[in-house]
Amino acid sequence: MSRIQDAFNRQTGDFHLTPGEYEGPLVIDRPCTVDGGHSTLWAPQGPVLTVAAQGVTVRNLRVEATGETGCRTAIETRFGDTALEGVEVSGDVAGLPGEAEGWSLPSVISLGDFAADEVNAFSYDLTLPADAALVCGVKDLRAAPSRLRRGVNRVTLETGAVRDNTILYGELLLRTNVTRRIYVTGKAVSGAPVHLDATPVSGSLPVSEPLKMDAPPVIPPAAGLQSGPEVRQAVRGQRMPLTESGLRIACDCRGVRRPVELDGYVFLLREDGKVSGDNDLIFFSNPESETGCVKVTASDEKPLVLLELDKAPAWTQKIAVCFSIYGSDPAENFSLVEGPCLRLFGGEGEFCRFAMDDLGVERTVVALEVYRYKGAWRVNFVGAGYQSGLATLCRRYGVDVE
């Protein structure tokens, strides 16, 4: 019996670890919360962690199957209600609904020596057994796309103009119900070749006129959320006329209690409140509407919706702007987002804010609706959330979901 198993068996109720490394395996055979305290649990063979009871939550733990051969299962659960919060794995997760097995990722991507003071772009193929979000944690490096699909994905890594003799080191994070890590390393060297193995991603979010946004508006840090007197403060249920065709809607916050992926979703709706087809849902996999009246992008890793209302099809009576936390973990909801706030920009800059402080267990929110009224466009501030997530909202608007 492992020492950690013995320690678990001696206790009743929840189980808390102090930061460190612990050799497994560990079997959780009672309903409880296991808080790893950001520790690592490892074993040469899997399963490293087995959930053998209902009502188990595992959080703040890295679980590693370290052996090069044999079973590579990091976590195995026999119950569908197992909750994983802030869990990182090296290996597979077996038995968890919605979590695929068969992950085989490189532990390190080496960029080698690349040209200093130049933009370099590298291309890599990653084969995934399921969809995942891609987050880059390397300073002076961009990664695209931010959403990867099941199968082969071409990933572009673009450096900034890094100074000579600077070493890049950090990680790419792939997020499903858990997080998986790939380390990235490289060195900027004067006189080294410029790598342009892929098209640079820094200009990959073009925005057409009349928005005049060669770059999305920079969202200030948390301390800058106190608006000046020229910025109106909207409240739920308030309606306001729009005087410009171009509108930028940024979703900001004071901070997060732990990292979550927040994405923008926009529905083009007919008079009956339904879409005319699935392409009228604009989101990261369909980032621009057919006429270009809606684009979904990001600024400083925060979701941003761009509207050009004069390009909206004549049948469009309403545009619902929504934001949803990506993933299937019910514990990842708006209670983790501190002071969620909409910020509206026009041609002269920011003109309105809408605080959504009362959101909690909701995972999806209808932030606002832009609608036609007597031949003009108006905005209705909604701020209504759904605990059940995005699928319920899609069905409400007539989008087919599995």
Side-chain angles (χ1 to χ4, degrees):
M1 180 182 297
S2 65
R3 291 185 178 180
I4 190 171
Q5 184 71 61
D6 187 51
F8 177 82
N9 292 344
R10 287 197 303 266
Q11 293 189 19
T12 59
D14 295 341
F15 185 59
H16 298 267
L17 294 174
T18 56
E21 290 193 5
Y22 299 88
E23 183 176 1
L26 172 63
V27 177
I28 305 172
D29 57 2
R30 64 174 184 265
C32 65
T33 294
V34 174
D35 192 325
H38 303 286
S39 296
T40 297
L41 175 68
W42 64 273
Q45 301 292 328
V48 182
L49 176 66
T50 300
V51 178
Q54 292 182 319
V56 171
T57 297
V58 180
R59 61 166 60 112
N60 303 327
L61 184 65
R62 175 173 171 84
V63 185
E64 297 183 359
T66 60
E68 296 183 1
T69 60
C71 179
R72 291 281 300 156
T73 300
I75 300 175
E76 180 180 75
T77 179
R78 302 168 190 172
F79 298 94
D81 68 342
T82 300
L84 304 179
E85 303 173 3
V87 172
E88 182 179 334
V89 301
S90 175
D92 283 330
V93 177
L96 188 70
E99 185 67 31
E101 299 182 51
W103 289 83
S104 180
L105 299 173
S107 58
V108 178
I109 292 177
S110 176
L111 305 182
D113 292 345
F114 55 85
D117 302 310
E118 300 282 353
V119 171
N120 296 260
F122 301 83
S123 180
Y124 289 89
D125 286 341
L126 292 178
T127 302
L128 309 185
D131 297 354
L134 177 65
V135 179
C136 182
V138 187
K139 184 180 179 182
D140 296 320
L141 190 72
R142 296 171 181 255
S146 61
R147 290 287 181 269
L148 305 182
R149 294 301 177 191
R150 178 183 178 183
V152 180
N153 296 263
R154 179 62 54 88
V155 175
T156 298
L157 302 178
E158 178 197 308
T159 73
V162 183
R163 291 184 299 176
D164 180 39
N165 209 34
T166 298
I167 295 176
L168 291 187
Y169 184 79
E171 61 275 327
L172 299 177
L173 303 178
L174 283 81
R175 290 177 173 158
T176 54
N177 295 293
V178 295
T179 298
R180 294 174 172 86
R181 186 182 304 259
I182 302 173
Y183 288 98
V184 179
T185 184
K187 185 177 182 180
V189 176
S190 180
V194 177
H195 291 268
L196 291 175
D197 306 328
T199 302
V201 302
S202 56
S204 62
L205 299 172
V207 181
S208 61
E209 296 292 337
L211 288 176
K212 298 181 181 179
M213 286 180 54
D214 295 328
V218 176
I219 300 175
L225 281 182
Q226 294 80 15
S227 62
E230 71 281 1
V231 178
R232 299 176 60 179
Q233 299 293 325
V235 297
R236 177 177 291 176
Q238 182 175 348
R239 297 170 187 262
M240 178 189 305
L242 293 174
T243 59
E244 300 181 45
S245 172
L247 183 66
R248 294 155 286 174
I249 305 167
C251 187
D252 202 354
C253 65
R254 292 192 299 270
V256 292
R257 293 181 174 88
R258 64 180 174 88
V260 293
E261 294 293 322
L262 186 63
D263 295 311
Y265 297 82
V266 181
F267 298 83
L268 297 177
L269 304 175
R270 303 175 309 214
E271 190 171 2
D272 63 357
K274 304 292 184 181
V275 298
S276 62
D278 288 352
N279 285 336
D280 295 327
L281 167 57
I282 317 304
F283 66 119
F284 57 80
S285 287
N286 181 35
E288 182 174 350
S289 65
E290 293 180 357
T291 66
C293 67
V294 177
K295 297 179 183 179
V296 171
T297 178
S299 174
D300 193 24
E301 299 185 356
K302 297 175 182 178
L304 180 66
V305 172
L306 312 178
L307 301 183
E308 294 187 53
L309 298 174
D310 58 358
K311 294 183 179 181
W315 55 262
T316 304
Q317 295 299 307
K318 183 182 294 184
I319 300 172
V321 177
C322 313
F323 297 93
S324 185
I325 292 176
Y326 181 77
S328 58
D329 185 351
E332 292 189 345
N333 52 48
F334 274 93
S335 69
L336 302 175
V337 182
E338 299 178 355
C341 174
L342 288 190
R343 308 177 66 188
L344 278 62
F345 296 80
E348 300 300 321
E350 186 177 6
F351 66 90
C352 185
R353 291 188 184 180
F354 173 42
M356 299 184 291
D357 291 323
D358 55 350
L359 295 176
V361 297
E362 296 88 352
R363 292 178 46 78
T364 298
V365 60
V366 181
L368 58 79
E369 297 170 337
V370 177
Y371 64 100
R372 295 185 196 264
Y373 180 75
K374 295 183 178 181
W377 289 100
R378 297 173 64 88
V379 59
N380 174 30
F381 294 94
V382 181
Y386 294 81
Q387 184 176 356
S388 53
L390 186 65
T392 298
L393 196 61
C394 288
R395 286 189 284 267
R396 168 184 169 182
Y397 291 138
V399 177
D400 292 331
V401 292
E402 297 180 358

